[in-house]
Amino acid sequence: MALDDQVDGVDEAGVQPITRTPKGSGRRLRGAIAHYLGTQIVSGAIAPGEKLTGEVANAEALDVSRSAYREAVQVLTAKGLVESRPKAGTRVLPRSRWNMLDPQVLAWAFSGEPDTDFVRDLFELRAVVEPAAARLAAERRDRDDVKAMRDALAKMRRHTLATDAGRAADRDFHDALLEATHNNALVALSASIGAAVSWTTKYKQRARALPRDPVPDHIKVFDAIAAGDADAAAAAMRTLVDLALEDTRLSM
Amino acid sequence: MALDDQVDGVDEAGVQPITRTPKGSGRRLRGAIAHYLGTQIVSGAIAPGEKLTGEVANAEALDVSRSAYREAVQVLTAKGLVESRPKAGTRVLPRSRWNMLDPQVLAWAFSGEPDTDFVRDLFELRAVVEPAAARLAAERRDRDDVKAMRDALAKMRRHTLATDAGRAADRDFHDALLEATHNNALVALSASIGAAVSWTTKYKQRARALPRDPVPDHIKVFDAIAAGDADAAAAAMRTLVDLALEDTRLSM
DNA sequence: GGACGCGAATAAGTCCGACTAAACCGAGAC
DNA sequence: GTCTCGGTTTAGTCGGACTTATTCGCGTCC
């Protein structure tokens, strides 16, 4: 939650895409620059190995100060997208060095047309992690965990997945589930997976009227975890992820 | 591989830990600042919710320019460690917002005394992901994948885990295995897990003379994958991770 | 007396211009 | 031919000025 870059359409009428300052309603400037460069890179417009224009030239082309531009590049560097050295310039690193799990990078990846192969990979990761997480949650959940999950489930039922509140509740449910594993590494993964899932569900919306009601499946998972039945929890979660994959696949 | 911050001991004789410019042999300056602040935060010296000193003051205290300091803070922001807003200052975010899977953050986490609970969590994540990865690899590996794994295994056998080359070969083996899954999301995870594992093995070395020879276990995994036996690959990998956990636990 | 709104104080955000340092590349010496 | 040594290019650092966005306190109005 709380990604801090949301930029409107990019290209002006002009030929070259120049970042305009959206004026009064602009996010932080370096955020916009990072978003612009990040999407360029992730989308492949600037291929790995290529070196992007020099700071001075590029900053001027984007009509921003060199400081702001540099800070944006630092962000990309921190996420493993680029590497810069004196004289050699700033080059895009091979994809294997990118922090694909970083929520912002995922956001950039999904800001254009999403790569269907990558979506498949993400669901495969979910299919590996979430059932195992459900199993652990069933073994370790305490009273508070159960309550958090129950509350999220109730909200989910009240609003549907068609509303923002409903999707937020869905995320809350999964967050609470991961939290119930009492494993910080898994919780960290949940942030990434959650971000990815929320992007895919956005695309699911595009093909309107999602056919299936996801609540019953969630309830099955919840019941198994509350009952402490690890095997049942894992199995229920597996089917839940499989169904989500199927829904997503249909809408792409 | 290729983390770009390596700083020697931090505190001077003086009372307050001031970053000195390590002179001739200094890494990039903002890297050092980011490392300094990052370890402070991850180690808990600056607790979540606390707000750190203002840019001007802190930059002067560290004897660096405000630009360099700011760029370092941008890195922390990109990794979800802090958030800064005008007037309110820069605050440390709750742990749940941290990108714990980021290799650099992991490096900072392991630069001091590692949190044994977190190490346990990491191995639990390994135990979830790697067997599943081995299963996928067994189903999808192609000729090149097998060759890469065989080569890494050979190098591993030649040098032992006691040498740098040996540990590098170990990492290569796991990287090749993840690559063989042909799943980019899993590959991305491998970077994080690999980084974490390399840190823990460093601590394993501390308790010298690791009792077990890991090569036979790796061979079992390799054979199963080469043979395309998914179940056997998963099982072999599970025991391998379990043994690694046991070794690590003994040395902490 | 409490809520609302307005205005200052403050800290981050942006801009600018100069200087430093590092790495690459080509010219010259051996 | 290789090696070395500068020169050139590009990122890195510096510093200082100015802008913008919040927050907080104050006063006013209900």
Side-chain angles (χ1 to χ4, degrees), chain A residues 28-30 64-68 71 85-88:
Chain A
R28 300 281 183 289
L29 182 49
R30 68 165 166 289
V64 298
S65 77
R66 193 153 89 95
S67 332
E71 290 187 3
R85 287 154 46 189
K87 171 73 179 182

Side-chain angles (χ1 to χ4, degrees), chain B residues 139-177:
Chain B
E139 294 168 352
R140 301 184 184 164
R141 88 271 115 92
D142 58 29
R143 189 163 293 117
D144 292 337
D145 295 327
V146 174
K147 181 180 185 325
M149 291 176 66
R150 196 201 315 277
D151 291 349
L153 205 50
K155 279 207 199 73
M156 227 178 122
R157 196 181 335 217
R158 203 156 45 242
H159 327 82
T160 76
L161 263 197
T163 73
D164 272 342
R167 283 191 293 272
D170 184 22
R171 284 241 293 277
D172 287 346
F173 178 80
H174 287 268
D175 281 351
L177 189 153

Side-chain angles (χ1 to χ4, degrees), chain B residues 5 47 66-67 81 85 89 100-101 105 122 125 127 136 143 151 153 175 225 227 246:
Chain B
D5 54 350
R66 194 163 157 239
S67 333
L81 296 193
R85 287 154 48 190
M100 267 306 187
L101 307 148
V105 176
L122 278 172
L125 179 58
L136 284 176
R143 189 163 293 117
D151 291 349
L153 205 50
D175 281 351
I225 291 178
E246 197 170 324

Side-chain angles (χ1 to χ4, degrees), chain A residues 46-76:
Chain A
I46 313 179
E50 271 185 80
K51 86 181 214 292
L52 35 92
T53 327
E55 290 182 343
V56 266
N58 219 356
E60 187 176 358
L62 298 173
D63 191 40
V64 298
S65 77
R66 193 153 89 95
S67 332
Y69 179 82
R70 277 184 57 78
E71 290 187 3
V73 171
Q74 295 310 321
V75 173
L76 299 186

Side-chain angles (χ1 to χ4, degrees), chain A residues 201-229:
Chain A
T201 52
K202 183 184 136 198
Y203 281 94
K204 253 195 285 194
Q205 293 309 92
R206 194 165 59 178
R208 52 196 73 265
L210 32 152
R212 205 185 324 272
D213 179 14
V215 172
D217 297 314
H218 282 69
I219 290 182
K220 280 207 195 76
V221 174
F222 170 76
D223 286 343
I225 291 178
D229 187 341

Side-chain angles (χ1 to χ4, degrees), chain B residues 11-157:
Chain B
D11 344 73
E12 292 272 285
V15 181
Q16 61 226 340
I18 305 177
T19 68
R20 68 283 82 119
T21 68
K23 293 277 274 308
S25 73
R27 291 293 184 211
R28 299 283 183 288
L29 182 49
R30 67 166 166 290
I33 305 173
H35 175 89
Y36 172 73
L37 293 176
T39 51
Q40 292 266 320
I41 293 173
V42 173
S43 75
I46 312 180
E50 272 184 80
K51 86 178 212 288
L52 35 93
T53 327
E55 289 182 343
V56 265
N58 220 356
E60 186 177 359
L62 298 173
D63 193 40
V64 297
S65 79
R66 194 163 157 239
S67 333
Y69 179 82
R70 275 185 59 78
E71 290 187 3
V73 171
Q74 295 308 322
V75 174
L76 300 186
T77 305
K79 298 184 184 309
L81 296 193
V82 301
E83 185 181 52
S84 40
R85 287 154 48 190
K87 169 75 178 184
T90 304
R91 321 192 76 89
V92 178
L93 292 173
R95 302 180 75 91
S96 59
R97 303 267 308 262
W98 298 356
N99 292 173
M100 267 306 187
L101 307 148
D102 184 292
Q104 283 217 106
V105 176
L106 283 169
W108 296 335
F110 282 103
S111 70
E113 273 308 288
D115 181 355
T116 58
D117 284 346
F118 185 58
V119 172
R120 181 183 56 81
D121 290 353
L122 278 172
F123 269 96
E124 218 164 72
L125 179 58
R126 269 191 86 180
V128 167
V129 172
E130 300 227 42
R135 163 171 273 114
L136 284 176
E139 294 168 352
R140 301 184 184 164
R141 88 271 115 92
D142 58 29
R143 189 163 293 117
D144 292 337
D145 295 327
V146 174
K147 181 180 185 325
M149 291 176 66
R150 196 201 315 277
D151 291 349
L153 205 50
K155 279 207 199 73
M156 227 178 122
R157 196 181 335 217

Side-chain angles (χ1 to χ4, degrees), chain A residues 14 106 113 123 156 183 215 229 235 251:
Chain A
L106 283 169
E113 274 308 288
F123 270 96
M156 224 178 125
N183 180 318
V215 172
D229 187 341
S251 65

